[in-house]
Structure formats: structure tokens, C-alpha cells
Amino acid sequence: EVQLVESGGGVVSAGGSLRLNCATSGFDFDDFAIGWFRQTPGKDREEVSCISSSDGRIIYAESVKGRFTTSSDNAKSTVYLDMTNLKPDDTGVYLCAADLSLGFCPPVAYDVFGQGTHVTVSS
């Protein structure tokens, strides 16, 4: 069974930093694309980053470029989202998702989503 489990969320002041973790299991971690999304009430779900093991490509939404960095640890089958200079607008539920087919960014569709971890940035 494919599973994605996010952790690392919390409450932080504006300008602070957090590291989110996406622990994966049940699929070949050498052939994947993992996306990070955030969901805020009243707004469409936004994809903030994607990392591909197939071609090494990493892409970011304009809203987080220069502040967020995504990386992976193949030995731990985990993808990270390092968030710096956080703003109140970054508040939301952050979810990771996996494309288990071609593994390129951006994928045609993601196959599995995690449950999410909450991030609150106070002003």
C-alpha cells in the first residue's frame, strides 16, 4: 500500500522557518515525482513545488520561489520542504502527493495524497 505521511507543521512567527517532511512507503523511491501543495479555506489548492527523481527537475510556484526549497533523501524515502521567511499568507494545510507513473514534474496527475500537516504563520 502506498502511503505518504506529512509532519513538521506548527505555529511560527512571520519571518520564521519550518521544515516539513513527507515520509513515503509502498513504492519505488527511485522513480517518482513528489509535489507539495497547500490548502487554505476559500482558496484553490496551490501546488508549491515538485521534485522529480526521473530527471532531477525541481519546480516552484512563483509565490514561494527564493523562500522554499524541496529536497529528497533516498535512503529515508523522504521528501522535505524547507520553508524560510514565512509570511502569514503561507498559512494552510500542506500536503504531499506522489506521481507513480512517469515521475516527471509537473506530472499529468498525482496518484496519492497524504493527509496533510498544518502550518500557521502569525503576524
Side-chain angles (χ1 to χ4, degrees):
E1 179 187 6
V2 175
Q3 286 192 321
L4 305 175
V5 180
E6 302 92 338
S7 63
V11 180
V12 64
S13 299
S17 301
L18 281 174
R19 164 174 268 201
L20 304 184
N21 313 293
C22 175
T24 75
S25 61
F27 66 97
D28 184 359
F29 200 73
D30 291 327
D31 186 14
F32 69 89
I34 299 287
W36 280 101
F37 292 79
R38 67 181 171 200
Q39 182 71 57
T40 304
K43 295 182 180 179
D44 291 336
R45 184 168 61 190
E46 178 186 17
E47 183 173 6
V48 297
S49 74
C50 179
I51 182 169
S52 166
S53 68
S54 300
D55 61 4
R57 188 181 187 200
I58 302 175
I59 59 175
Y60 297 97
E62 285 297 323
S63 59
V64 305
K65 274 184 181 178
R67 300 188 299 121
F68 290 13
T69 303
T70 191
S71 60
S72 64
D73 184 334
N74 285 17
K76 296 182 178 180
S77 298
T78 299
V79 172
Y80 305 99
L81 184 68
D82 289 293
M83 307 185 295
T84 64
N85 192 21
L86 283 161
K87 305 174 182 179
D89 282 349
D90 295 318
T91 294
V93 176
Y94 284 72
L95 309 97
C96 59
D99 164 34
L100 306 178
S101 55
L102 298 178
F104 293 104
C105 289
V108 174
Y110 287 94
D111 302 297
V112 182
F113 283 80
Q115 294 298 306
T117 186
H118 291 256
V119 172
T120 301
V121 184
S122 61
S123 57

